[in-house]
Amino acid sequence: MILGLTRSWSLAGYIITAILILPLIALIVQSTLPDQAVFSHLFNTVLPTYIANSLLLMLLVGLGTLVLAIPAAWLIARCDFPFRRYFQWLLLLPLAMPAYIVAYVYTDMLDYAGPVQRVLRAWFGWQSPHDYYFPAIRSLGGAAIILSLVLFPYIYLLARTAFMEQSSSLLYASRVMGCSPWRSFWRLALPMARPALAVGVALVAMETAADFATVSYFAVPTLTTAVYDTWLGYGSLTAAAKLSAIMLLVVFSMIGVERFARRKQQLFQKQSSLNEADRYVLSSKMAWVALGYCALLLFIAFLLPFMVLCAYAIDYFNESWDVRFWQYSLNSLYIAAIVSGVCVVLSLILMFVRRVSPRKSDQIPARLSSTGYALPGTVLAIGVLVPLTFIDFAINDIYDWFGARGPGLLLTGSVFALIFAFCVRFIAISIGSLENSYKRISPSLDMACITLGRTPTQLLWRVHLPLLRKGIFAGALLVFIESMKELPAALLLRPIGFENLATYVFQFVSDEKLEHGALAAIVIVLVGLVPLIYLNRSLEQQG
């Protein structure tokens, strides 16, 4: 921070921040308004069930992801077995698969009419559901299993990093003191990794709380589905805002846990690198067990659903390859392109102000602008509807006052609401990307530029922009991909008759006809693989 900015730059940062946090403020204000009829009815009837299901689902998914991720992370980080180097990035692939698509595939396979139960009935001669017991996939437990399969890479990635950064000298010392590899893991490595695991569980819990499509498909009532149903079913924006405020309380509690756990990570003793000699050389039998576990986890969480999608796409290619597919693909592309461009420009202004301003108050806008990423899609949609609806009515009232016909739902009835919501939610990604890039630019370059008499605008244009190209590209790419995949906000905010790939696929999932939307689903999955490839390359370069 070496440069005094002109008031226009600083003011621009505050205006951008005020616009981006407007949905959050409007949501909180709207939730304080009286709405005795709808919310009181929900409070006295189904709200306790919504809250209990949400908390129980977060607990089950947190436990499930820990059980799946910790063994894989330990094997990849500290053991040597065939194809380990490939599995260290292959196990990230389930993040690219939307959970509701995995839910559909396994429901189709495991339901009463599915191939698994048909084979069991043929083998054992069962005639009806009363002859045997088979766990119901369409249940809260089924939703927890599906979400665990999709979300375990969050914990796997953090746990793997934590295990790799632990000092080998401590593990050697435990072995000298007579601990077996298992006892060394249980009594030393796992306790030291607890802060990273707490961070991962908090992230998983936040993603679980924000999930709408999977719980909706399984008919599991949670707070996310309650917000959606209250707005579309009861038409009460205030009641939906109250439910959203409850979700905000849950989400920000998770953020608080995550920040507290990350604070304790500085207590770890880290080493700069992990040599191949530091890994346990597994016996032939155990090596095959490790290989089988990683392969089975990858197959169940990603390969099997993806192969089923490919089979659907081939069988129903003529039905999928139509005008609607191209139209909805173009809708997704141009919405995502606009959002990524706007987010990059706004985040560049915010980070430039934060970089060069000597005033501590100018550091606040960039931090506040990132809070939208913590909002679940349905909550964000309600937060966007509140101020935009007010503005729409105000514009029409002005037209009526002048005796003219108003434009109608100018903001909420167009793609503007969708673009605005995506910008609020995903600008944190581009801010984070630019922040990392700015850390690599020496402050001496700023000093030299100002010494030569250049203005702040010239500093940004001639010095910072050329050096930030990779960060700008990475941020724009990640925002673009997230905008292509976002579903809950798109369902609530899309104009009448407007569809993108995410809503198009979910419509087929809801109608039990994913076969007809498999091609669009494959596009979403392939697009989701891009940030994972980028992440893997970044990790390899850091390694």
Side-chain angles (χ1 to χ4, degrees), residues 57 79 99 109 159 171 217 299 418 451 461 475 536:
L57 184 63
C79 300
M109 294 177 59
L171 298 178
Y217 179 67
F299 178 77
L418 201 59
T451 302
W461 186 257
N536 180 64

Short mmCIF file of all heavy atoms in Angstrom, two decimals, residues 57 79 99 109 159 171 217 299 418 451 461 475 536:
data_model
loop_
_atom_site.label_atom_id
_atom_site.label_comp_id
_atom_site.label_asym_id
_atom_site.label_seq_id
_atom_site.Cartn_x
_atom_site.Cartn_y
_atom_site.Cartn_z
N LEU A 57 -28.77 -34.29 7.82
CA LEU A 57 -28.13 -34.53 6.53
C LEU A 57 -26.69 -34.02 6.55
O LEU A 57 -25.77 -34.71 6.05
CB LEU A 57 -28.93 -33.84 5.42
CG LEU A 57 -28.44 -34.09 3.99
CD1 LEU A 57 -28.54 -35.56 3.63
CD2 LEU A 57 -29.23 -33.25 2.99
N CYS A 79 1.72 -43.74 1.34
CA CYS A 79 1.97 -45.13 0.95
C CYS A 79 2.34 -45.20 -0.52
O CYS A 79 2.03 -44.30 -1.30
CB CYS A 79 0.74 -46.00 1.22
SG CYS A 79 0.23 -46.03 2.96
N ALA A 99 -24.48 -33.68 -8.25
CA ALA A 99 -25.01 -34.72 -7.36
C ALA A 99 -26.35 -35.24 -7.83
O ALA A 99 -26.64 -36.44 -7.67
CB ALA A 99 -25.12 -34.16 -5.94
N MET A 109 -30.81 -47.51 -10.95
CA MET A 109 -30.21 -48.84 -10.80
C MET A 109 -30.75 -49.59 -9.59
O MET A 109 -30.91 -50.81 -9.63
CB MET A 109 -28.69 -48.71 -10.68
CG MET A 109 -27.99 -48.20 -11.92
SD MET A 109 -26.22 -48.00 -11.64
CE MET A 109 -25.76 -49.68 -11.21
N ALA A 159 -7.02 -33.26 3.39
CA ALA A 159 -6.36 -34.26 4.22
C ALA A 159 -5.07 -34.75 3.58
O ALA A 159 -4.05 -34.94 4.27
CB ALA A 159 -7.30 -35.44 4.46
N LEU A 171 7.03 -39.12 12.42
CA LEU A 171 6.57 -40.47 12.13
C LEU A 171 7.68 -41.48 12.35
O LEU A 171 7.43 -42.59 12.84
CB LEU A 171 6.05 -40.54 10.70
CG LEU A 171 4.86 -39.63 10.38
CD1 LEU A 171 4.47 -39.75 8.91
CD2 LEU A 171 3.66 -39.96 11.26
N TYR A 217 -34.99 -34.09 -5.53
CA TYR A 217 -35.25 -35.31 -6.30
C TYR A 217 -35.62 -36.47 -5.39
O TYR A 217 -36.48 -37.30 -5.73
CB TYR A 217 -34.01 -35.66 -7.12
CG TYR A 217 -34.16 -36.91 -7.94
CD1 TYR A 217 -35.05 -36.97 -9.01
CD2 TYR A 217 -33.43 -38.05 -7.63
CE1 TYR A 217 -35.20 -38.13 -9.76
CE2 TYR A 217 -33.56 -39.21 -8.38
CZ TYR A 217 -34.45 -39.24 -9.43
OH TYR A 217 -34.59 -40.40 -10.17
N PHE A 299 -14.62 -45.53 -9.25
CA PHE A 299 -15.63 -46.15 -10.12
C PHE A 299 -17.04 -45.80 -9.65
O PHE A 299 -17.90 -45.42 -10.46
CB PHE A 299 -15.43 -47.67 -10.13
CG PHE A 299 -16.44 -48.40 -10.96
CD1 PHE A 299 -16.34 -48.42 -12.34
CD2 PHE A 299 -17.49 -49.08 -10.36
CE1 PHE A 299 -17.28 -49.09 -13.12
CE2 PHE A 299 -18.43 -49.75 -11.12
CZ PHE A 299 -18.32 -49.76 -12.51
N LEU A 418 -30.69 -12.92 -13.12
CA LEU A 418 -29.83 -14.10 -13.14
C LEU A 418 -28.36 -13.68 -13.18
O LEU A 418 -27.53 -14.22 -12.43
CB LEU A 418 -30.18 -14.95 -14.36
CG LEU A 418 -29.79 -16.42 -14.35
CD1 LEU A 418 -30.44 -17.13 -13.18
CD2 LEU A 418 -30.18 -17.07 -15.66
N THR A 451 7.04 7.08 -9.05
CA THR A 451 8.19 7.98 -9.10
C THR A 451 8.34 8.61 -10.49
O THR A 451 8.78 9.76 -10.62
CB THR A 451 9.48 7.21 -8.74
OG1 THR A 451 9.33 6.65 -7.43
CG2 THR A 451 10.69 8.14 -8.75
N TRP A 461 -3.03 0.04 -15.93
CA TRP A 461 -3.08 -0.36 -17.33
C TRP A 461 -1.73 -0.84 -17.85
O TRP A 461 -1.66 -1.83 -18.59
CB TRP A 461 -3.58 0.82 -18.17
CG TRP A 461 -3.81 0.49 -19.61
CD1 TRP A 461 -3.02 0.79 -20.67
CD2 TRP A 461 -4.93 -0.23 -20.15
NE1 TRP A 461 -3.54 0.32 -21.83
CE2 TRP A 461 -4.73 -0.33 -21.55
CE3 TRP A 461 -6.07 -0.80 -19.58
CZ2 TRP A 461 -5.63 -0.97 -22.38
CZ3 TRP A 461 -6.96 -1.43 -20.41
CH2 TRP A 461 -6.74 -1.51 -21.80
N GLY A 475 -9.32 -16.61 -13.11
CA GLY A 475 -10.54 -16.17 -12.45
C GLY A 475 -11.73 -16.18 -13.39
O GLY A 475 -12.83 -16.64 -13.03
N ASN A 536 -5.17 -29.53 -10.60
CA ASN A 536 -4.14 -30.55 -10.57
C ASN A 536 -2.81 -30.03 -11.09
O ASN A 536 -1.75 -30.29 -10.52
CB ASN A 536 -4.59 -31.76 -11.40
CG ASN A 536 -3.55 -32.87 -11.42
OD1 ASN A 536 -3.22 -33.46 -10.40
ND2 ASN A 536 -3.04 -33.15 -12.59
#
